[in-house]
Amino acid sequence: KAGVTQTPRYLIKTRGQQVTLSCSPISGHRSVSWYQQTPGQGLQFLFEYFSETQRNKGNFPGRFSGRQFSNSRSEMNVSTLELGDSALYLCASSRLAGVNEETQYFGPGTRLLVL
Amino acid sequence: DQQVKQNSPSLSVQEGRISILNCDYTNSMFDYFLWYKKYPAEGPTFLISISSIKDKNEDGRFTVFLNKSAKHLSLHIVPSQPGDSAVYFCAARPSGGSYIPTFGRGTSLIVHP
């Protein structure tokens, strides 16, 4: 079974640009969550989608948005990029949402550098 | 304000010895705790979890201990192996509601041969 895939793996953008990152969950998984990891920080939750609906949203500005498609694939978009948006963006999928015992499987991440 | 703290950024251990990684939390609403391991250039991998109704959970070489009164949990790896060298993240989920995990900043474990 293929794991979670994220594209692209690396990205360089300049301030003010916008970026779209993609995540394909494990087959059969309907929940997709996004996290931001910056140097010295733990993973910070961005948002969670389940069956094309946003279930939860973290404490990030409105420049960060996402969506999920009917095949469970998800995209996140960051508009008007700032230097502080440079980070590793991780996607995680699970079969269900809102269940503690449900294991999240992470993709390798997209490393975004904003110049 | 960090609700999940891993106060040791790094830990160095000899192969075969025990590795103990610690994690403290402040939010009493957390009732489910997880440990993840992360290698460079890879996403985190789930290692082991524990519910607040337990004080210990064991899986092979990995054991997690939970002390609810102290709001403290620890991950024990026995015996440590060089392949265990990675960054370990502690995470906590609140009871009911969102189940959104809060992560610590991680502890880098190096196991020397």
Side-chain angles (χ1 to χ4, degrees):
Chain A
K1 199 181 229 184
V4 178
T5 57
Q6 292 186 245
T7 56
R9 292 292 310 276
Y10 302 93
L11 205 49
I12 300 176
K13 291 284 187 179
T14 56
R15 277 182 301 173
Q17 287 187 308
Q18 67 109 25
V19 67
T20 299
L21 311 181
S22 180
C23 172
S24 292
I26 291 172
S27 177
H29 285 194
R30 294 164 63 191
S31 173
V32 173
S33 297
W34 288 89
Y35 297 86
Q36 181 196 65
Q37 184 187 10
T38 50
Q41 298 288 326
L43 282 69
Q44 294 181 280
F45 173 78
L46 279 156
F47 20 68
E48 177 192 21
Y49 288 88
F50 182 79
S51 294
E52 302 178 67
T53 301
Q54 187 179 86
R55 286 191 75 246
N56 291 294
K57 189 175 192 305
N59 189 25
F60 278 82
R63 300 185 296 107
F64 292 80
S65 63
R67 58 178 176 168
Q68 186 180 33
F69 302 95
S70 58
N71 61 358
S72 294
R73 190 177 70 85
S74 177
E75 288 181 348
M76 68 162 279
N77 184 278
V78 187
S79 62
T80 319
L81 283 165
E82 300 177 359
L83 295 179
D85 297 333
S86 295
L88 179 67
Y89 290 88
L90 291 158
C91 165
S93 77
S94 59
R95 287 183 308 115
L96 304 172
V99 178
N100 261 336
E101 293 76 14
E102 190 70 18
T103 299
Q104 281 190 317
Y105 295 86
F106 282 83
T110 294
R111 186 162 295 282
L112 171 65
L113 177 61
V114 182
L115 301 176
Chain B
D1 179 37
Q2 272 190 278
Q3 296 188 56
V4 177
K5 296 180 185 178
Q6 294 179 256
N7 291 319
S8 298
S10 63
L11 177 66
S12 183
V13 170
Q14 205 67 31
E15 180 180 6
R17 307 295 286 266
I18 184 172
S19 295
I20 300 176
L21 295 96
N22 294 303
C23 179
D24 297 293
Y25 62 97
T26 57
N27 190 338
S28 57
M29 294 299 291
F30 290 147
D31 73 345
Y32 197 80
F33 305 89
L34 310 96
W35 284 94
Y36 288 86
K37 177 170 75 172
K38 185 180 184 302
Y39 293 118
E42 294 182 14
T45 303
F46 169 75
L47 205 52
I48 193 170
S49 62
I50 188 167
S51 166
S52 60
I53 62 172
K54 295 184 176 182
D55 54 18
K56 176 182 173 182
N57 189 25
E58 198 170 349
D59 184 2
R61 297 186 298 113
F62 302 91
T63 303
V64 56
F65 295 91
L66 175 62
N67 182 333
K68 280 189 68 178
S69 60
K71 294 191 175 66
H72 175 84
L73 64 155
S74 60
L75 174 68
H76 292 212
I77 306 174
V78 185
S80 300
Q81 300 173 353
D84 296 329
S85 298
V87 177
Y88 289 78
F89 291 98
C90 166
R93 283 179 172 157
S95 56
S98 69
Y99 294 95
I100 297 172
T102 300
F103 284 80
R105 293 183 178 179
T107 295
S108 177
L109 172 66
I110 299 172
V111 181
H112 297 283

